[in-house]
């Protein structure tokens, strides 16, 4: 017996279709404390969409052995010098890894380990990114069009947003002289 596929992904746009899809949207108004220049963010249009996520969740959230598949759409824009970006998270199950791949646009995947060492990988159509467990991750759009990125992660990974809300990432991605630069926010070694 041959069955039609229950889900589809448009390979050009990253748009998912089928059942078990969850759609979420994050607007500037829901991203208080995320960007360095909070007063600039607060003065902008709070309804402006920063990013959307579509996620295919064919099993219950938390199912061991299951997989989720998603597409993130991050809009172009900046808050001051800082590019529009996702909130970012560690996985609740710290060992859970994830794949990202670039579909459209230009951006940076900002990564930070538990020692708060931060680095970035440039994202572009066809780029493939393995995010190991115990590494927080966030996407920033450094281009002029919507950044579209695919993702696949364990259904029991969960999301720990609280650690990032409390401490943030140790570096911020800013536009410096017209180009993206990852600017450390902390000294590596506190002076004695
Ligand atoms: C899930 C995966 C992505 C993000 C999405 C939005 O593990 O990493 O689907 O959820 O990019 O980012 P955030 O930080 O708001 O969940
Ligand atoms: Zn994740």
């Amino acid at each position: 017996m041959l069955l039609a596929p229950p889900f589809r992904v448009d390979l050009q746009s990253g748009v998912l279709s089928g059942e078990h899809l969850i759609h979420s949207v994050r607007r500037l108004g829901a991203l208080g404390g995320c960007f360095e220049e909070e007063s600039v963010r607060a003065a902008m249009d709070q309804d402006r969409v920063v990013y959307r996520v579509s996620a295919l969740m064919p099993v219950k959230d938390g199912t061991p052995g299951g997989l989720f598949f998603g597409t993130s759409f991050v809009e172009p824009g900046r808050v001051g010098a800082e590019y529009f970006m996702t909130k970012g998270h560690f996985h609740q199950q710290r060992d859970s890894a994830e794949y990202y791949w670039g579909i459209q646009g230009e951006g940076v995947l900002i990564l930070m380990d538990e020692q708060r060492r931060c680095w970035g990988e440039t994202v572009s159509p066809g780029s493939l990114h393995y995010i190991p467990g115990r590494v927080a991750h966030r996407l920033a759009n450094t281009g002029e069009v919507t950044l579209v990125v695919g993702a696949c992660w364990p259904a029991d990974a969960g999301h720990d947003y609280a650690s990032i809300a409390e401490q943030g990432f140790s570096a911020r991605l800013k536009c410096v002289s017209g180009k993206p630069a990852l600017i450390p926010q902390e000294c590596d070694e506190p002076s004695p």
Side-chain angles (χ1 to χ4, degrees):
M1 181 169 59
L2 292 176
L3 301 176
F7 319 115
R8 296 198 71 86
V9 54
D10 184 298
L11 297 176
Q12 298 300 314
S13 66
V15 171
L16 303 173
S17 53
E19 289 182 21
H20 308 295
L21 279 174
I22 308 285
H23 303 281
S24 61
V25 56
R26 299 262 190 220
R27 300 173 193 275
L28 267 177
L31 293 173
C34 210
F35 295 91
E36 185 172 46
E37 295 194 52
E38 171 60 19
S39 58
V40 174
R41 183 206 62 82
M44 292 170 73
D45 176 3
Q46 299 298 286
D47 285 335
R48 187 161 160 192
V49 171
V50 177
Y51 63 100
R52 300 173 190 275
V53 181
S54 297
L56 172 61
M57 305 174 88
V59 293
K60 206 163 157 270
D61 198 1
T63 302
L67 288 171
F68 291 155
F69 189 99
T71 306
S72 300
F73 303 85
V74 186
E75 298 303 330
R78 294 205 304 255
V79 175
E82 198 169 6
Y83 296 100
F84 274 12
M85 61 183 177
T86 61
K87 285 172 74 168
H89 56 269
F90 285 99
H91 289 149
Q92 194 79 44
Q93 298 289 337
R94 281 292 194 273
D95 287 335
S96 298
E98 181 164 5
Y99 277 111
Y100 275 11
W101 56 95
I103 296 171
Q104 175 192 288
E106 302 290 327
V108 172
L109 169 60
I110 304 164
L111 300 158
M112 181 180 74
D113 68 16
E114 290 181 311
Q115 287 70 48
R116 299 188 58 71
R117 288 179 295 233
C118 205
W119 69 103
E121 294 179 9
T122 54
V123 181
S124 60
S127 65
L128 183 58
H129 310 269
Y130 179 72
I131 303 166
R134 304 186 175 276
V135 172
H137 40 288
R138 106 178 333 159
L139 284 167
N141 185 339
T142 58
E144 307 290 326
V145 300
T146 306
L147 172 69
V148 184
V149 177
C152 187
W153 68 100
D156 60 352
H159 294 91
D160 169 13
Y161 293 106
S163 305
I164 301 303
E166 283 159 22
Q167 289 196 281
F169 278 62
S170 58
R172 290 185 176 275
L173 194 76
K174 295 183 182 175
C175 180
V176 179
S177 305
K179 287 193 299 196
L182 194 58
I183 312 292
Q185 300 296 291
E186 301 163 1
C187 297
D188 288 342
E189 297 288 332
S191 21

